[in-house]
């Protein structure tokens, strides 16, 4: 069992957890993830390690409640435990001195991108960050990213905060400016990553994306996380999760990501019903 | 050996026919995950045991990779000393309830049995008897835990908790060493828990064996991927281990590299079986893990080994309307255990032998809807001695399939090899270890089981674990490499 030493909401559906996981904390590098199982009836899901502290033996993860498992996870509080946490998995990001780098985080992708942005900053790059969110309340990790960014740009779909635009608008402006980026890292929803890839392809700028393929074991054993990169099958958990954005078959990624949509809906409905009952019981008691 | 307990003269023993295994009705069991074979009753076991001729130089023992003292344990069954029989097996085989169920006996002990080579007779049911005494011991809660030697003060790390890792751990702890088994997954047992289905090997059996090892003092740490969470060098340098045994198996699925293999509902057998067995997707939504709902659908499984057989029978249990086993050679060339093939056919699996997929065809949403297959014919014998399958030109045909499971083999997982400097591997990525001692090119590091041999069998992996334990013990006590 892995004890949660801190749990707090960052936005409505996004929760941060600090978890006691000494072995993972010691080895984690930016770009790596864990696979966790909330309880012994649970599924195994991958979550990026947003930070780690080897001294305190903790890792920090940030989860967006979108389906049964992440919503269940987000019901946990400080002092609760998670049944299984294994990692760090995946290849660490290539951190080099590229020059000017643009780090783009969409939604919960902002938290996923943070450790890499930090490492790129420490490696002597000028980091320009773009956070994209639907609306103001969903902007997360702004302070953390601001501390290492020059500048930090926020875009919202509804204009409630920062610039009213999608992330590719400021990205294109940067490409056309004297601050032309040498390297772009984009992590977020598939359509966002695809749009970034198209924007930088034309400009010939090296771009890396982190692929959220469906995973089970995370060690190369099942092949369920297959993605196509440069026309070749790769296992996202061991060959990635970061890949050259210009080589990724995003359509396939989206198709495979939708594979369990019906089952996910069943699980979520069931969970929400049960959960509503529990809340009701708690209220009665 | 002169058999002391058998009252019948050999001539009369030859009159008794081989006892058959009681099984669940095929049509019923094809829809549940309960065990197919129900096990011998005392009477059946006695009848069967009485058939053994108690050969002086038992050929059966030579057929068993770990040399179980078959004639002796069978004779103890005749004397109704079931616990004694189980203890006799345990001298050479620490997981008899497992091997009694999954060993390819027809190629091993039973294949070598004298009775198998006598006209009008058939081999002794050694596997069934092994299972019988192991189950007796288990269900009556009388597993005799061996005594452990006093502590040696030496620490051994084992990577991987499949049969190789478990048997090595069991032997080493008895010799007084401090043993920790590290497992990447959240459950102990390797293929025994994530691959082989419940209907062939109930998971409780594995769990109980693991509990016994815990009682002996073996420590288990799940959720540790050697090479990622901690490296082999760190185990030595930072955690004070004196030796490491690598038993990480052959867990990397092969795909054929044909068009359409990444379509939705095309699985590797590992993924399909892991979702269903380890993650219990067959009990969705009670358990959260999903798997493609193949109820009422057409399922094609590619391959002819145990893994393919397990996958195709699993799909039937999940309600598949048609479950096809598509194999490029002939049915008799299939590497699967004969009993499994026989069971699969009884349950309604449709064998399509001499067919090979060349492409999977998807619908507009990216789900597989058909496979393009081509007919094969038997060519010249190849290095395996079986005739090489040769495609027949112009024989391509389309078969409607809603789900495909690719079960064409596994290769070794490279995580340990990539992160352990000085550890030699062969061209296929397997760890190189000398046959006799299972020593690798790196001092203090031993390796065995599927990671060395390539995908093989439970009993060979277990044998390797025991060999490794013996040489690790030598190394720890003499310091000689
Ligand atoms: C390498 C990697 C790192 C990730 N890091 C984070 C992170 O830091 N924070 C975060 O909130 N999310 C992260 N994700 C996504 C997260 O794993 C999914 O949101 C989660 O699995 C959804 O599960 P669910 O039951 O809540 O939702 P569901 O309703 O089951 O699924 C919603 C969607 O999530 C995806 N998904 C479902 N099951 C899995 C699975 N086993 N593995 C991967 N994806 C799945 C599917 O596309 C699905 O349509 C990451 C994914 C990957 C591959
Ligand atoms: C579906 C299926 C059916 C089979 N049926 C039969 C049968 O009927 N009869 C028979 O004799 N054989 C059968 N086999 C073959 C048999 O199961 C294997 O030969 C045997 O399990 C090999 O044992 P092992 O200990 O070498 O490895 P495995 O059983 O593969 O165990 C290896 C373990 O190591 C873990 N691991 C891997 N990498 C790491 C790492 N880096 N760090 C930590 N842990 C790690 C894995 O998670 C796994 O638990 C079958 C195999 C399959 C897949
Ligand atoms: S271990 Fe396997 S081969 Fe050996 S006697 Fe038992 S069933 Fe036969
Ligand atoms: S070869 Fe057959 S008959 Fe002879 S001892 Fe072995 S099991 Fe008995
Ligand atoms: S998650 Fe199983 S191989 Fe990648």
């Amino acid at each position: 069992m892995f004890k949660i030493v801190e749990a707090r909401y960052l936005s409505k559906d996004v929760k941060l957890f600090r978890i006691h996981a000494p072995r993972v904390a010691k080895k984690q590098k930016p770009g790596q993830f864990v696979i966790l199982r909330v309880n012994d009836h649970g599924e195994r899901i991958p979550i990026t390690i947003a930070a780690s502290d080897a001294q305190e033996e903790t890792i920090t993860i940030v989860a967006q409640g979108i389906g049964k498992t992440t919503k269940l996870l987000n019901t946990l509080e400080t002092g609760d435990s998670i049944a299984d946490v294994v990692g760090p998995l995946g290849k660490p990001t290539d951190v080099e001195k590229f020059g000017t780098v643009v780090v783009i985080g969409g939604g919960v992708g902002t938290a996923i991108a943070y450790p890499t942005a930090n490492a790129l900053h420490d490696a002597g790059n000028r980091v320009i960050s773009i956070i994209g969110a639907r609306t103001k309340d969903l902007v997360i990790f702004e302070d953390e990213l601001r501390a290492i960014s020059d500048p930090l740009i926020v875009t919202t779909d509804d204009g409630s905060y920062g610039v009213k635009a999608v992330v590719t608008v400021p990205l294109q402006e940067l490409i056309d400016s004297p601050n032309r980026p040498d390297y772009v890292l984009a992590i977020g929803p598939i359509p966002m990553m695809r749009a970034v890839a198209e924007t930088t392809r034309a400009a010939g700028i090296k771009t890396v994306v982190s692929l959220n393929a469906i995973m089970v074991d995370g060690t190369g054993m099942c092949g369920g996380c297959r993605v196509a990169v440069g026309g070749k099958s790769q296992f996202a958990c061991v060959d990635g999760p970061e890949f050259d954005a210009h080589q990724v078959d995003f359509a396939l990624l989206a198709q495979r990501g939708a594979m369990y949509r019906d089952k996910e809906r069943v699980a979520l409905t069931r969970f929400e019903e049960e959960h509503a009952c529990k809340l009701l019981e708690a209220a009665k008691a | 050996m002169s058999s002391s307990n058998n009252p019948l003269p050999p001539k009369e023993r030859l009159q008794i026919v081989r006892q058959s295994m009681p099984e669940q009705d095929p049509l019923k069991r094809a829809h549940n995950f309960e065990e197919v074979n129900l096990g011998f009753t005392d009477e059946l076991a006695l009848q069967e045991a009485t058939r053994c001729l108690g050969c002086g130089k038992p050929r059966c023992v030579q057929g068993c990779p770990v040399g179980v003292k078959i004639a002796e344990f069978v004779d103890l069954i005749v004397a109704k000393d079931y616990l004694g029989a189980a203890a006799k097996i345990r001298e050479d085989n620490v997981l008899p309830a497992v091997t009694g169920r999954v060993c390819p006996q027809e190629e091993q002990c039973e294949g070598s049995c004298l009775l198998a080579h006598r006209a009008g007779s058939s081999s002794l049911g050694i596997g069934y008897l092994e299972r019988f005494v192991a189950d007796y011991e288990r269900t009556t809660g009388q597993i005799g835990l061996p005594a452990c030697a006093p502590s040696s003060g030496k620490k051994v790390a084992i990577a991987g908790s499949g049969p190789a890792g478990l048997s090595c751990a069991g032997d080493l702890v008895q010799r007084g060493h401090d043993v920790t088994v590290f497992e990447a997954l959240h459950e102990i047992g390797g293929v025994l828990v994530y691959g082989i289905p419940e209907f062939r090997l109930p998971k409780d059996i594995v769990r109980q064996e693991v509990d016994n090892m815990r009682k002996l003092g073996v420590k288990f740490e799940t959720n540790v991927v050697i090479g990622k969470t901690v490296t082999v060098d760190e185990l030595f340098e930072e955690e004070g281990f004196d030796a490491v045994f690598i038993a990480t198996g052959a867990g990397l699925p092969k795909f054929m590299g044909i068009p359409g293999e990444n379509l939705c509902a095309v699985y590797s057998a590992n993924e399909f079986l892991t979702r269903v067995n380890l993650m219990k997707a067959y009990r969705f939504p009670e358990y959260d893990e999903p798997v493609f709902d193949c109820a009422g659908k057409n399922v094609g499984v590619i391959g002819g080994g145990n893994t393919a057989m397990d996958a195709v029978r699993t799909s039937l249990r999940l309600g598949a309307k048609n479950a096809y086993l598509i194999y490029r050679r002939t049915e008799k060339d299939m590497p699967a255990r004969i009993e499994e093939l026989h069971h699969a056919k009884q349950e309604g699996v449709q064998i399509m032998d001499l067919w090979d997929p060349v492409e999977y065809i998807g619908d507009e949403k990216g789900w597989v809807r058909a496979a393009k297959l081509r007919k094969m014919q038997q060519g010249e014998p190849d290095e395996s001695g079986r005739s090489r399958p040769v495609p027949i030109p112009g024989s391509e045909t389309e078969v409607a399939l809603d789900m495909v499971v690719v079960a064409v083999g596994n290769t070794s997982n490279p995580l340990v090899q990539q992160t352990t400097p000085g550890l030699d591997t062969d061209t296929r990525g397997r760890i190189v270890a000398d046959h006799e001692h299972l020593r690798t090119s790196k001092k203090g590091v031993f390796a065995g089981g599927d990671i060395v041999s390539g995908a093989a069998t439970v009993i060979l992996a277990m044998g390797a674990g025991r060999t490794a334990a013996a040489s690790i013990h030598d190394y720890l006590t003499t310091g000689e490499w």
Side-chain angles (χ1 to χ4, degrees), chain A residues 2 23-24 26-27 32 37 39-44 68-69 72 83-92 214-217 219-228 233 235 238 252 255-256 258-260 263-264 266-267 270, chain B residues 182 184-186 194 221-225 228-231 234-235 238-239 251-253 255 261-268 270-271 274-275 278-279 281 284-293 364-367 410 413 415:
Chain A
F2 295 77
R23 287 191 179 278
V24 188
K26 203 167 140 193
K27 293 287 282 192
Q32 292 189 298
R37 204 170 63 122
N39 59 35
D40 67 359
H41 279 48
E43 62 177 341
R44 296 170 62 100
K68 151 95 196 245
T69 303
L72 174 68
D84 299 289
V85 176
V86 59
L89 301 170
K91 286 200 176 131
I214 293 183
M215 296 185 179
V216 183
D217 57 297
T219 64
M221 182 270 274
C222 75
C225 61
R226 331 203 260 299
V227 291
S233 268
F235 290 3
V238 284
L252 180 74
Q255 258 169 26
R256 290 186 61 87
M259 198 156 148
Y260 298 107
K263 297 244 166 172
E264 285 155 1
V266 172
R270 215 177 114 106
Chain B
F182 295 99
L185 292 171
H186 57 262
Y194 80 72
E221 217 186 303
T222 50
N223 298 314
V224 176
V225 185
K228 284 280 176 191
T229 313
V230 56
T231 63
E234 286 163 349
L235 288 174
E238 296 174 20
E239 307 203 13
L252 217 66
F255 285 93
E261 240 172 354
N262 289 336
L263 289 165
C264 294
V266 178
Y267 286 96
S268 76
N270 283 1
E271 181 182 3
T274 300
R275 283 180 180 273
L278 180 72
M279 306 304 298
F284 181 91
E286 185 198 338
Y287 285 78
D288 291 338
E289 193 80 21
V291 70
F292 176 73
D293 186 357
E364 66 288 348
K365 285 191 175 147
W367 289 82
N410 283 305
N413 191 316
L415 290 180

Side-chain angles (χ1 to χ4, degrees), chain A residues 69-92:
Chain A
T69 303
T70 46
K71 282 184 196 261
L72 174 68
L73 177 65
N74 286 357
T75 61
L76 301 183
E77 298 294 348
T78 307
D80 289 342
S81 289
I82 296 176
D84 299 289
V85 176
V86 59
L89 301 170
K91 286 200 176 131

Side-chain angles (χ1 to χ4, degrees), chain B residues 143-164:
Chain B
I143 298 186
L145 293 183
C148 293
S151 168
S152 68
K154 301 283 185 189
K155 278 175 73 178
V156 184
I158 296 179
S161 68

